[in-house]
Amino acid sequence: MSGFEHSSEKTVTVVGGGVAGMSAACALAESGLRVQLVERRGYLGGRASSYRHPGVGEVIDNCQHVLFGCCTNLSGFYRRIGVAEKIHWTSEMTMIEPGGRRSPLGPSKLGPFELPAPLHALPKLLSASAFTFADKLALARAFSALMRPVPGDSTESLGAWLRRHKQTEGALYRFWRLVIASALNADIDSIALPYAAKVIRELFMNSAFAGSMGMSTVPLSELYAGAEEFLTGRGSEVLFNTNIEAAEWDEESAQWTLTTRTRTLMSGLLVLALPFEATARLLPNLPPAAGADALRAQIERHQHWPICSVHLWFDREITTLDHAVLLDRELHWMYNKSRLQPWRKGKGSYVELVVSASRSFAALERNDAIALAVSELAEFFPAVASAKLEKAALIKEVRATFGVPPGIDAARPSSISPWPTASWPATGPRPAGLRQWRAPRAPATWPQKPSARLLVSPGVFWMRT
Ligand SMILES: Cc1cc2nc3c(=O)[nH]c(=O)nc-3n(C[C@H](O)[C@H](O)[C@H](O)COP(=O)(O)OP(=O)(O)OC[C@H]3O[C@@H](n4cnc5c(N)ncnc54)[C@H](O)[C@@H]3O)c2cc1C
């Protein structure tokens, strides 16, 4: 592909072909802008991608990715690129205790009628054997407290708040440490209360569908191939194996010049859709600007948390469940990939086990981690004991997700970048269907997720209404 070198046409360059970059690029292309999406690697998807694992000879995701009904922007992106039907949705969850006792969770009906949120999940929660009566009372107390707004500037940790609201051991370990700590991928003492409150509200209180879980029925890279087709079909392009090393702004031509090791690219607008480490590497090679040092200081305060996944192939089916929440052990989630992705051929079964927010599991050697996973799995599914393990893979993603510790909002970069505001499109013709976009004010109570990865330059950006 050519890139937009020497083009006089106004263009947008999106740097980073992960979910953030693909989503921004496709939204901009749909709005009629000419976009070049630039990706350092030879494929799209970033941390949400799949590949043929050389050790097992199978295409696997770098980890199971799930979305929820409340992830409306991600669902909108899937609809935009035409892959929404490749997501399998379920509202049923099964919690399993070691020994095999099961507690089904999910929405309930009253006769023919769906119970409205937040009551929809209550009947099954009340009858769940995984929780004692005291656990249920504690959870009800915490949920009702979280229905009231939490100050957006609270610096309390979720752990401190839970202790203040007298959560039982069962509620702490079987709900908060598992469900919420997995959603935000950190230990409860490392999660800022407003973020936990937002998860609870979004997942359980807004609508019954909001808590439904979506999983791709195809490998992630196949899912995101839709983004490349979408862009190229609209006169935009994707440049692979292109690592942006520096960017210069020319006031006269109102153009960015982006430098890679072998070429230069021109662009009227620039969107950095990078993780904070990659942004930090680029910062010294961006033009000087008031506010750049403050941005660097903000970025340095962010940290990633790990997620590990163990992929096991057995010679037979070990469970008929599609997925399950595993209690009281290192393993957190079981995804039965043979059932979720029925196109996978073979007589045995393939299950993926996910360990969120566990720095200790991430420190284990491969064989120890796999052995631990198999022995724990057998506690939940007795068929594992008589099944033959045919092959296994361990994937550790040390920088899986950004942490949201108490006080992190003070280090949340603004969506208005420190770099120059170009005269276009602020004074140029406005592309059809676009409105001027300004950085949102932080709401007083329910903050949005931090946009640490997304910097927008020039200072005014255009988004579809
Ligand atoms: C194991 C694991 C499990 C997860 N599970 C879930 C889940 O269940 N649900 C969920 O919502 N999220 C999940 N996540 C988080 C999710 O994957 C990330 O939040 C998301 O993929 C981040 O997308 P991104 O575009 O911000 O960053 P990235 O995916 O990191 O993309 C950034 C891209 O920029 C490229 N790049 C970097 N520097 C340059 C440069 N200088 N020039 C050009 N390109 C560059 C990189 O190669 C990369 O492709 C999980 C993550 C992991 C790792």
Side-chain angles (χ1 to χ4, degrees):
M1 295 207 186
S2 66
F4 295 161
E5 295 106 325
H6 316 304
S7 167
S8 57
E9 190 178 344
K10 295 294 185 184
T11 58
V12 184
T13 297
V14 178
V15 183
V19 176
M22 288 187 290
S23 169
C26 292
L28 291 165
E30 191 179 55
S31 298
L33 296 174
R34 196 168 169 218
V35 182
Q36 57 187 1
L37 175 59
V38 181
E39 168 53 46
R40 173 170 67 95
R41 294 192 271 208
Y43 54 89
L44 291 177
R47 279 170 280 172
S49 48
S50 48
Y51 59 96
R52 181 168 291 277
H53 190 288
V56 292
E58 303 265 357
V59 174
I60 61 174
D61 295 333
N62 65 341
C63 188
Q64 174 70 48
H65 275 62
V66 300
L67 73 156
F68 288 89
C70 57
C71 304
T72 48
N73 285 328
L74 189 55
S75 294
F77 170 52
Y78 290 158
R79 279 196 300 277
R80 176 172 283 137
I81 63 171
V83 301
E85 81 290 351
K86 294 181 178 167
I87 303 296
H88 166 73
W89 288 97
T90 176
S91 54
E92 308 298 328
M93 302 260 173
T94 308
M95 282 185 158
I96 311 186
E97 296 162 69
R101 190 164 66 157
R102 297 181 180 189
S103 299
L105 298 176
S108 295
K109 286 184 166 181
L110 191 61
F113 303 108
E114 302 273 351
L115 281 178
L119 300 176
H120 63 293
L122 205 57
K124 286 188 181 162
L125 182 68
L126 288 177
S127 60
S129 49
F131 298 107
T132 63
F133 183 66
D135 297 337
K136 289 168 191 167
L137 274 185
L139 286 171
R141 194 164 48 243
F143 268 63
S144 66
L146 288 174
M147 286 182 84
R148 293 188 294 276
V150 168
D153 57 359
S154 163
T155 53
E156 189 170 15
S157 74
L158 171 63
W161 186 91
L162 293 173
R163 285 187 282 276
R164 206 154 56 76
H165 286 77
K166 303 201 175 1
Q167 294 299 286
T168 55
E169 287 294 289
L172 277 177
Y173 282 92
R174 293 189 161 180
F175 183 79
W176 296 105
R177 280 193 196 277
L178 189 61
V179 178
I180 300 308
S182 294
L184 291 169
N185 194 35
D187 182 77
I188 54 172
D189 289 313
S190 303
I191 293 175
L193 175 63
Y195 288 89
K198 183 169 172 64
V199 169
I200 292 290
R201 201 175 175 89
E202 297 279 344
L203 276 181
F204 299 108
M205 295 186 188
N206 284 348
S207 76
F209 179 69
S212 295
M213 189 165 79
M215 292 157 284
S216 177
T217 55
V218 296
L220 289 171
S221 294
E222 195 177 321
L223 191 70
Y224 292 126
E228 185 180 358
E229 283 166 31
F230 183 91
L231 289 169
T232 51
R234 282 161 183 76
S236 291
E237 59 184 353
V238 182
L239 306 183
F240 291 107
N241 304 310
T242 306
N243 183 52
I244 299 299
E245 295 179 345
E248 283 292 326
W249 171 251
D250 179 47
E251 194 66 56
E252 204 168 311
S253 62
Q255 290 276 308
W256 285 95
T257 303
L258 308 173
T259 314
T260 74
R261 201 160 48 84
T262 55
R263 64 196 300 194
T264 56
L265 305 168
M266 309 297 288
S267 184
L269 294 163
L270 178 60
V271 176
L272 298 186
L274 300 173
F276 39 81
E277 296 92 345
T279 304
R281 276 195 298 277
L282 207 49
L283 280 181
N285 301 325
L286 295 179
D293 284 344
L295 176 61
R296 183 176 301 113
Q298 285 179 316
I299 286 176
E300 280 169 3
R301 284 187 51 194
H302 289 267
Q303 278 195 356
H304 275 121
W305 279 73
I307 298 181
C308 297
S309 56
V310 181
H311 303 245
L312 303 175
W313 284 262
F314 291 100
D315 64 345
R316 65 198 71 173
E317 190 169 67
I318 57 146
T319 175
T320 53
L321 286 176
D322 286 356
H323 57 88
V325 184
L326 309 177
L327 298 174
D328 304 342
R329 294 292 181 267
E330 286 284 323
L331 300 178
H332 293 152
W333 305 90
M334 184 281 298
Y335 298 95
N336 194 340
K337 303 288 273 199
S338 296
R339 294 178 65 89
L340 293 167
Q341 300 186 335
W343 51 268
R344 288 181 184 273
K345 300 274 184 283
K347 56 182 171 48
S349 68
Y350 164 31
V351 295
E352 182 179 338
L353 308 164
V354 177
V355 184
S356 302
S358 171
R359 289 182 165 154
S360 56
F361 193 88
L364 291 178
E365 295 292 334
R366 176 188 180 277
N367 289 349
D368 294 342
I370 291 171
L372 178 64
V374 174
S375 85
E376 286 194 1
L377 193 63
E379 294 187 71
F380 299 99
F381 304 106
V384 171
S386 50
K388 180 170 170 241
L389 179 65
E390 298 197 312
K391 50 190 177 182
L394 167 71
I395 312 288
K396 295 180 187 177
E397 286 285 353
V398 179
R399 290 195 293 270
T401 60
F402 54 80
V404 287
I408 195 65
D409 278 352
R412 179 177 168 178
S414 161
S415 301
I416 303 282
S417 91
W419 284 280
T421 302
S423 56
W424 185 89
T427 57
R430 178 178 299 196
L434 297 180
R435 66 179 166 80
Q436 193 168 354
W437 182 89
R438 294 192 185 283
R441 278 179 192 282
T445 49
W446 305 105
Q448 307 295 311
K449 275 190 174 177
S451 55
R453 301 178 301 269
L454 182 65
L455 306 175
V456 181
S457 185
V460 179
F461 183 43
W462 301 84
M463 292 284 278
R464 178 174 281 279
T465 47

